[in-house]
Amino acid sequence: MTNLDIKIKLSVNADYALNRNKLCPPNFRRVEQVLDRYGMALRNHWNDELEEIATNPWVSYCIYEWCDGGPIRSFSLSALLQTVVYEMDGTDDIPSIEEINKLIEITSRLSPFDQLAIMEYVEAHH
């Protein structure tokens, strides 16, 4: 078990998560509860399809190099892939248009939690 003594500024989403449970006030126990549930959800949600997407070198590159370790805030993983392709257009560093279109199609069907699980996997295994 890791003991942490940290001070953080909460985002709107973090504040929402900490303050929505009226049975456990927003203190260290609530933080522990949220993190425990988050970890449990990630472990139980993971599957081979998500791993295949997460281990794709292009997806991994887009997440790791273009998200600065933060969440995909205002758009989806498919939009991130499109944005990176647009920004890197004209270079030899992008996959074929067929592969990009296939990845965009696959990632556009993912739930927000699928996308989060993929992002967490990439950050943990990069």
Side-chain angles (χ1 to χ4, degrees), residues 5-32:
D5 182 16
I6 58 174
K7 292 182 181 187
I8 58 174
K9 181 178 178 181
L10 298 178
S11 68
V12 173
N13 291 331
D15 187 60
Y16 171 77
L18 289 178
N19 287 299
R20 65 179 295 200
N21 185 337
K22 301 305 178 200
L23 299 176
C24 186
N27 59 28
F28 72 94
R29 285 189 179 91
R30 178 65 179 139
V31 172
E32 180 182 43

Side-chain angles (χ1 to χ4, degrees), residues 107-120:
T107 56
S108 67
R109 294 190 304 253
L110 297 174
S111 73
F113 198 82
D114 290 338
Q115 295 174 57
L116 179 67
I118 288 170
M119 185 171 205
E120 289 284 340

Side-chain angles (χ1 to χ4, degrees), residues 52-65 77 80-81 99 103 107 118 122:
E52 184 176 338
I53 296 167
T55 57
N56 177 283
W58 178 249
V59 172
S60 178
Y61 168 79
C62 290
I63 291 171
Y64 198 80
E65 296 295 332
L77 182 53
L80 173 66
L81 300 178
E99 183 179 352
L103 286 169
T107 56
I118 288 170
V122 168

